[in-house]
Amino acid sequence: MMTPATGIDSRVRMMAFDFLREQRSIHGDVIPQRVLQAGFQFDGRRVPLMNPQGIFKPAVIPTYPLSFRTSPPSMRHAAPYEDEL
């Protein structure tokens, strides 16, 4: 059963993917950080897709995070996750 919170969550996530498809058609595979931070409008509210670091849940989403950022591995720091491009 879909609650109002999960309904909003689903709508925001669908709009986020629509926004990303649109931005990809404009910018190609590498969307500028400023565009992701600016985000899109949902019911008159700005929904950024990321913040400067860490796990990010915009205020409009009542449940789960929308995105996360991590640092790439370097000589000084190991990769925090076992992931790949």
Side-chain angles (χ1 to χ4, degrees):
M1 180 174 160
M2 187 175 291
T3 66
T6 58
I8 291 169
D9 191 277
S10 294
R11 289 176 44 217
V12 169
R13 289 174 193 284
M14 293 303 293
M15 288 184 75
F17 279 104
D18 289 344
F19 173 79
L20 290 170
R21 273 189 287 280
E22 178 183 316
Q23 295 305 311
R24 188 172 182 214
S25 72
I26 295 167
H27 301 284
D29 288 339
V30 180
I31 301 170
Q33 179 175 324
R34 64 180 165 70
V35 172
L36 298 173
Q37 287 176 325
F40 60 93
Q41 291 289 315
F42 174 79
D43 289 345
R45 296 176 69 183
R46 185 174 77 87
V47 179
L49 296 178
M50 62 182 287
N51 66 356
Q53 64 185 18
I55 297 170
F56 180 61
K57 185 185 82 57
V60 70
I61 295 179
T63 54
Y64 302 107
L66 183 61
S67 65
F68 65 91
R69 283 184 73 170
T70 185
S71 300
S74 70
M75 296 294 278
R76 297 183 317 188
H77 303 283
Y81 306 103
E82 297 284 331
D83 59 357
E84 299 178 23
L85 281 177

